[in-house]
């Protein structure tokens, strides 16, 4: 059982800290540790807590509150990798050369103690300041993560940055809306390391013939001339280009076989790095730790499929509710802006990018740059994908979660 100290990097308000990192020098290079909280070892299968987590499927993230998959008391006392609190974990230990090339790796059960908890902003600041006590650790981790990103890109990975809206609600009149900076070097670092953890976990499952469900994304089919024309048009603007690429990627599928994930550029992929937030991750974590401890798997392939697929409809419902609540509170935010500006002669305007056009009379899709918010509106046929336009906010219907905008000489809603 490995005992290790590590650093966590999360959003400032995160309550479910389920990953941490460490790095140390060796005689020939570096030893990188990727550590994931292990609630699975503390929750026996088919107990009340396990059945409750399975029924929940995942945590629910709403602008006004978070509804965790596991009870807050369990997360606070046993699960979250909080500062100076030893927690059970699953660790991926990677030995690299001096230029961060992976030479060998292994998974081990562990006890993790977080010695420092940083926000993404604090971590990025530490990367900029060579006098910061965490600078060297984070710099080596960033160099390591960049090495892995380049390797994925060589394997065909499609790396794009989409805008992600973040809404925090204190009351109906206190609503904070911002776009997360997904280009922040610390966010890119963490994202890259999580991709590596999940892809190597998939290789471990496959090599040891442990029953699991993998995430497979096939290669897209050949684009026709119309597709190429649309991509060329969308590429005039980074926002529309990223939307086009995401929108035209093949759907990711769950498979019993270890198959490539096209857009990630990895040979195989599995989701196992968020066991405090997703039941399927906790289930597969329990499977791998049981194998590491007893050299045999806990669940058969049929059981894995039954448990994972039984949560699917629930998770789809959760994602729908999250999107609806986010849209509702954004409409409330816009409504508040209208009320606050009623006495002002200055109109409320936003810059937007055209993402999709509809030549058959349907509505086009635009994205408000400031918020990353997408909405369908009627646009004249003269507008093309990638065009930047100015929208004037007219009114809001919170019941239907829609806003009405004015552009040029007409109303478009």
């Amino acid at each position: 059982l490995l005992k290790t100290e590590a650093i966590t990097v999360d959003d400032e308000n995160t309550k479910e800290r389920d990953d941490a990192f460490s790095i140390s020098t060796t005689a020939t290079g570096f030893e990188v540790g990727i550590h994931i909280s292990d609630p699975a070892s503390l929750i026996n299968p088919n107990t009340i807590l396990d059945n409750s987590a399975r029924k929940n499927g995942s945590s629910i993230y709403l602008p006004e509150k978070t509804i965790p998959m596991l009870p807050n008391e369990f997360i606070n006392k046993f699960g979250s990798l909080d500062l100076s609190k030893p927690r059970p974990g699953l660790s991926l230990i990677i030995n690299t050369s001096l230029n961060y090339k992976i030479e060998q790796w292994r998974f081990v059960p562990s006890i993790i103690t977080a010695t420092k908890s940083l926000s993404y902003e604090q971590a990025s600041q530490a990367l900029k300041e060579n006098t910061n006590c965490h600078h060297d650790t984070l710099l080596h981790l960033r160099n390591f993560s960049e090495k892995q990103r380049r390797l994925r890109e060589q394997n065909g990975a499609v790396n794009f940055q989409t805008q992600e809206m973040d809404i925090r609600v204190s009351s109906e009149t206190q609503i904070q809306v911002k776009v997360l900076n997904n280009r922040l070097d610390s966010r890119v670092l963490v994202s890259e390391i999580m991709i590596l953890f999940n892809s190597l976990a998939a290789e471990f499952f496959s090599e040891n013939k442990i029953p699991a469900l993998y995430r497979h994304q096939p290669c897209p089919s050949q684009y026709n001339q119309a597709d190429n024309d649309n991509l060329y048009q969308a590429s005039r603007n980074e926002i529309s280009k990223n939307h086009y690429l995401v929108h035209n990627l093949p759907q990711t599928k769950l498979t019993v076989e270890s198959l490539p994930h096209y857009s990630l550029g990895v040979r195989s992929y599995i989701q196992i790095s968020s066991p405090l937030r997703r039941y399927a991750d906790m289930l597969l974590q329990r499977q791998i730790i049981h194998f590491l401890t007893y050299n045999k798997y806990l669940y058969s392939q049929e059981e894995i499929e039954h448990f994972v697929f039984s949560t699917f409809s629930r998770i789809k419902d959760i994602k729908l509710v999250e999107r609806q609540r986010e849209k509702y509170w954004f409409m409330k935010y816009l409504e508040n802006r209208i009320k606050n500006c009623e006495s002002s002669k200055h109109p409320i305007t936003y810059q937007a990018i055209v993402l999709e056009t509809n030549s058959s009379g349907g509505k086009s899709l635009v994205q408000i740059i400031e918020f990353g918010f997408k909405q369908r509106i009627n646009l004249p046929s003269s507008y093309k994908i990638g065009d930047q336009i100015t929208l004037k906010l007219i009114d809001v219907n919170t019941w239907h979660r829609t806003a009405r905008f004015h552009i040029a000489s007409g109303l478009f809603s």
Side-chain angles (χ1 to χ4, degrees):
L1 186 68
L2 174 71
K3 294 186 179 181
T4 187
E5 296 180 348
I7 185 172
T8 66
V9 181
D10 284 286
D11 283 309
E12 188 174 358
N13 299 315
T14 295
K15 303 297 183 184
E16 303 159 309
R17 301 183 187 278
D18 49 18
D19 52 67
F21 316 101
S22 62
I23 190 166
S24 57
T25 57
T26 65
T28 57
F30 301 95
E31 182 178 271
V32 179
I34 309 174
H35 315 284
I36 305 297
S37 174
D38 172 26
S41 294
L42 303 176
I43 302 174
N44 290 326
N46 300 316
T47 58
I48 293 176
L49 192 53
D50 182 56
N51 292 335
S52 173
R54 186 190 313 158
K55 183 179 179 181
N56 291 337
S58 74
S59 296
I60 306 174
Y61 298 98
L62 307 176
E64 65 268 39
K65 64 179 177 179
T66 295
I67 304 172
M69 179 185 74
L70 294 166
N72 277 321
E73 186 176 5
F74 176 88
I75 292 171
N76 295 335
K77 288 187 176 181
F78 308 110
S80 183
L81 301 179
D82 294 332
L83 195 62
S84 303
K85 296 179 180 179
R87 301 293 197 218
L90 172 65
S91 294
L92 171 60
I93 306 301
I94 302 170
N95 291 103
T96 80
S97 63
L98 287 171
N99 68 346
Y100 308 102
K101 179 182 178 182
I102 295 177
E103 295 181 335
Q104 59 183 11
W105 52 270
R106 69 188 190 279
F107 283 96
V108 291
S110 58
I111 299 295
I112 308 161
T113 302
T115 56
K116 186 65 178 179
S117 292
L118 300 177
S119 68
Y120 285 114
E121 290 72 21
Q122 289 172 329
S124 287
Q125 192 63 33
L127 281 166
K128 296 174 185 176
E129 300 172 346
N130 56 17
T131 57
N132 190 290
C133 61
H134 304 295
H135 175 79
D136 289 347
T137 295
L138 291 169
L139 182 63
H140 286 307
L141 286 171
R142 185 177 67 180
N143 292 343
F144 172 74
S145 70
E146 288 180 347
K147 175 84 170 184
Q148 309 318 309
R149 177 181 57 81
R150 288 193 294 270
L151 290 173
R152 289 197 304 108
E153 289 175 343
Q154 290 173 14
N155 291 327
V158 182
N159 287 321
F160 39 73
Q161 298 291 336
T162 56
Q163 289 183 297
E164 184 180 349
M165 188 162 57
D166 180 48
I167 304 178
R168 302 293 169 89
V169 177
S170 300
S171 68
E172 289 206 352
T173 58
Q174 292 182 306
I175 305 169
Q176 180 187 22
V177 182
K178 65 178 183 179
V179 172
L180 295 178
N181 183 6
N182 288 326
R183 293 185 183 276
L184 201 65
D185 47 10
S186 57
R187 287 188 182 275
V188 175
L189 182 159
V190 172
S191 174
E192 197 63 49
I193 290 179
M194 289 299 100
I195 292 173
L196 178 64
F197 185 95
N198 287 327
S199 62
L200 290 182
E203 288 191 29
F204 184 87
F205 272 88
S206 178
E207 290 172 1
N208 291 281
K209 297 180 172 56
I210 306 171
L213 281 173
Y214 302 87
R215 300 186 69 83
H216 164 56
Q217 186 183 59
C219 293
S221 56
Q222 290 291 325
Y223 292 126
N224 58 35
Q225 186 58 46
D227 292 327
N228 290 331
D229 291 343
N230 287 335
L231 177 57
Y232 175 78
Q233 189 73 25
S235 298
R236 295 185 304 123
N237 184 285
E238 188 177 16
I239 291 175
S240 55
K241 179 182 179 181
N242 286 336
H243 171 80
Y244 185 88
L245 291 173
V246 172
H247 187 70
N248 286 277
L249 285 174
Q251 188 174 3
T252 301
K253 305 174 183 178
L254 289 179
T255 68
V256 298
E257 296 179 84
S258 175
L259 297 172
H261 193 293
Y262 168 75
S263 63
L264 291 179
V266 294
R267 290 179 294 182
S268 57
Y269 196 74
I270 208 167
Q271 280 192 332
I272 194 175
S273 57
S274 296
L276 293 176
R277 313 171 191 217
R278 291 191 296 252
Y279 182 76
D281 291 40
M282 189 173 80
L283 189 78
L284 291 175
Q285 188 189 63
R286 186 182 286 151
Q287 181 87 316
I288 191 174
I289 289 179
H290 192 87
F291 182 86
L292 290 169
T293 306
Y294 302 106
N295 199 32
K296 60 181 181 181
Y297 53 80
L298 180 63
Y299 298 109
S300 67
Q301 186 66 53
E302 292 74 18
E303 289 173 315
I304 289 287
E305 291 179 44
H306 170 71
F307 288 137
V308 173
F309 284 116
S310 67
T311 67
F312 254 41
S313 60
R314 168 69 173 168
I315 291 175
K316 285 183 178 179
D317 290 341
I318 287 172
K319 295 302 180 186
L320 177 60
V321 169
E322 288 177 339
R323 290 193 298 270
Q324 289 176 338
R325 292 304 292 172
E326 183 179 78
K327 193 169 185 179
Y328 169 80
W329 284 112
F330 183 64
M331 292 299 115
K332 287 295 294 183
Y333 171 83
L334 293 181
E335 184 180 62
N336 290 342
R337 285 216 62 192
I338 291 175
K339 290 178 180 178
N340 293 334
C341 294
E342 282 180 347
S343 60
S344 173
K345 295 182 180 180
H346 300 289
I348 302 172
T349 60
Y350 298 107
Q351 295 299 304
I353 299 296
V354 179
L355 303 179
E356 298 174 11
T357 57
N358 196 316
S359 58
S360 59
K363 293 189 174 183
S364 300
L365 185 67
V366 301
Q367 179 168 319
I368 297 176
I369 298 173
E370 183 178 344
F371 304 112
F373 177 77
K374 298 176 183 178
Q375 180 167 312
R376 292 199 174 274
I377 65 175
N378 290 314
L379 282 179
S381 59
S382 58
Y383 288 99
K384 306 298 182 184
I385 294 173
D387 284 350
Q388 182 167 329
I389 60 177
T390 301
L391 299 176
K392 176 184 176 182
L393 179 62
I394 304 300
D395 58 37
V396 172
N397 186 322
T398 54
W399 180 259
H400 291 103
R401 299 184 296 276
T402 58
R404 195 159 61 104
F405 295 95
H406 180 139
I407 183 173
S409 60
L411 289 176
F412 304 96
S413 60

